[in-house]
Amino acid sequence: MADSVKHLAVLGSTGSIGQQTLEVLRAFSHRFRVIALAAGNNSDLLKRQIEEFKPRFVYLQDEQKLHSIAGAGYEILPPEAMANLPLVDTVVIATSGKAGLLPALAAVRAGKTVALANKEALVMAGEIVTAEAKQHSARILPIDSEHSAIWQCLNGETTPAARLILTASGGPFRNYSLAQLEKVTAEQALKHPSWRMGRKITIDSATLMNKGLEVIEAHWLFEMPFERISVLVHPQSIIHSMVEFADGSIKAQLSYPDMRLPIQFALSYPERLANPQLPKLDWDKAASLTFEPPDCDSFPCLKLAIEAGKQGGTCPAVLCGADEAAVELFLAQKIKFTDIARLVEQTLSGHQSISRPNLEQIIEADAWARQQVLNYL
Ligand code: MG
């Protein structure tokens, strides 16, 4: 099996994770074959990717531009159908936000190996997605760096973990007071100190909402109760997360922050491939590694997310919907940075949660939350 070629569908190919996925595939073109590429609205980049990777199926979410990518040698096919193609064995879900949910679910239901970079699918519908994965023998392999780290630490262990410790860089505004945070601009928030990521997740990292979503994601991926998941701020972003075992021993995964490593590990698993493009940790230059507890007063999104995760039902979907809407407003300079948490909190407190929701109810809750945020304006 080790040297058989994997056949991939890359959904969200023009986004940050999608582009870095294609960088990895380019480095190991003899091992991977791109069968399908789907993107949001960047038709120019998608056209260049089609030319290079020669997929059989393509898609662009932006209907106005969909005709512009038509060409000979490939067919247009929506992402959920791509996730279902018999020819495809691995589906990379690199779509950001809520748009990743339905393709992830389709891939899981088709019994594929799902390399999952999108966290909303598990946050919004973790119970459904993980249950369907079990039922259809689909494997969900995390691409999110923290979850990849935990997965790597658990590899080979037969005793369940006692505690998961998710590390957080703390974002660009670590140590800022609430008063300073009031004045933060979108431009400042988009400058992440250590990671190269898309816009939505970069803002979520600055508010620490991202870490809260990751706690919920870890809860579902590793079947770990919320009480046994901790968050630790580690500004150097060298340790990507840790696992504590029953005997008190702690395993960590270290590397320079580069998303290509978790992407590559998910794609090459169980093998590890030598990739000269990935930077090796230089211990002569490695500064000291420091740790501190997260500041939940200045960054209330972390607590809001964990609380929504614990409440379960439709609360996590409301959290995601409200956050996505609020982040869009912040990027459009319509609200302040600190309004993101405020709007999310207001929306959550006005929500009547439904327990064990079906997919429809989850999607409705998300839509309701987005509308609430707009109404508060
Ligand atoms: Mg992450």
Side-chain angles (χ1 to χ4, degrees), residues 151-360:
W151 176 37
Q152 293 180 58
C153 291
L154 290 171
N155 223 344
E157 294 287 346
T158 51
T159 315
R163 174 169 295 278
L164 308 180
I165 304 160
L166 270 76
T167 51
S169 70
F173 311 128
R174 191 172 59 91
N175 300 329
Y176 272 40
S177 66
L178 263 179
Q180 284 173 299
L181 286 172
E182 294 269 340
K183 299 189 193 102
V184 155
T185 65
E187 198 189 338
Q188 290 171 310
L190 284 171
K191 281 197 188 115
H192 194 274
S194 42
W195 290 98
R196 179 182 145 206
M197 304 181 293
R199 284 160 67 86
K200 157 81 171 40
I201 186 172
T202 302
I203 302 302
D204 281 346
S205 296
T207 61
L208 293 199
M209 176 60 86
N210 184 56
K211 207 51 54 181
L213 298 179
E214 286 177 351
V215 169
I216 304 175
E217 190 186 359
H219 164 77
W220 290 113
L221 265 178
F222 304 109
E223 297 180 55
M224 183 60 79
F226 284 98
E227 293 67 29
R228 292 201 272 135
I229 306 174
S230 318
V231 172
L232 186 62
V233 172
H234 164 49
Q236 296 82 21
S237 299
I238 298 292
I239 292 182
H240 300 305
S241 277
M242 301 184 261
V243 176
E244 186 181 308
F245 294 92
D247 56 2
S249 183
I250 294 178
K251 280 165 87 174
Q253 185 261 333
L254 290 76
S255 66
Y256 283 125
D258 190 318
M259 284 310 297
R260 290 174 300 177
L261 178 53
I263 293 168
Q264 178 177 309
F265 187 66
L267 297 181
S268 71
Y269 177 79
E271 267 189 283
R272 289 190 183 270
L273 304 178
N275 183 348
Q277 290 169 19
L278 290 177
K280 303 290 181 293
L281 202 55
D282 181 346
W283 289 101
D284 292 336
K285 287 190 201 140
S288 56
L289 305 181
T290 62
F291 306 93
E292 62 197 48
D295 175 357
C296 290
D297 296 328
S298 297
F299 299 94
C301 283
L302 178 59
K303 252 201 219 147
L304 286 172
I306 295 172
E307 214 35 62
K310 283 182 184 167
Q311 296 232 327
T314 40
C315 287
V318 166
L319 174 86
C320 284
D323 177 58
E324 217 170 307
V327 168
E328 271 168 37
L329 290 173
F330 172 66
L331 286 172
Q333 299 176 0
K334 297 210 169 100
I335 60 170
K336 287 188 290 192
F337 183 77
T338 44
D339 289 335
I340 297 174
R342 211 165 293 144
L343 288 171
V344 171
E345 183 168 21
Q346 274 178 0
T347 308
L348 276 167
S349 62
H351 178 62
Q352 200 78 44
S353 180
I354 302 168
S355 66
R356 312 218 57 190
N358 60 32
L359 195 60
E360 222 164 70

Side-chain angles (χ1 to χ4, degrees), residues 8-15 18-19 22 34-42 45-46 49-50 55 57-62 66 69 75-83 91-96 99 103:
L8 275 74
V10 181
L11 312 184
S13 67
T14 58
Q19 289 186 55
L22 294 184
V34 177
I35 303 297
L37 288 177
N41 56 27
N42 191 341
L45 180 56
L46 181 61
Q49 292 177 344
I50 292 170
F57 302 94
V58 302
Y59 197 73
L60 194 71
Q61 212 72 44
D62 187 333
L66 185 56
I69 58 157
E75 283 171 48
I76 289 183
L77 192 73
E80 279 144 79
M82 287 176 176
V91 183
V92 181
I93 311 278
T95 321
S96 97

Side-chain angles (χ1 to χ4, degrees), residues 119 144-146 210-211 214:
K119 59 194 69 168
D144 206 345
S145 61
E146 294 76 2
N210 184 56
K211 207 51 54 181
E214 286 177 351

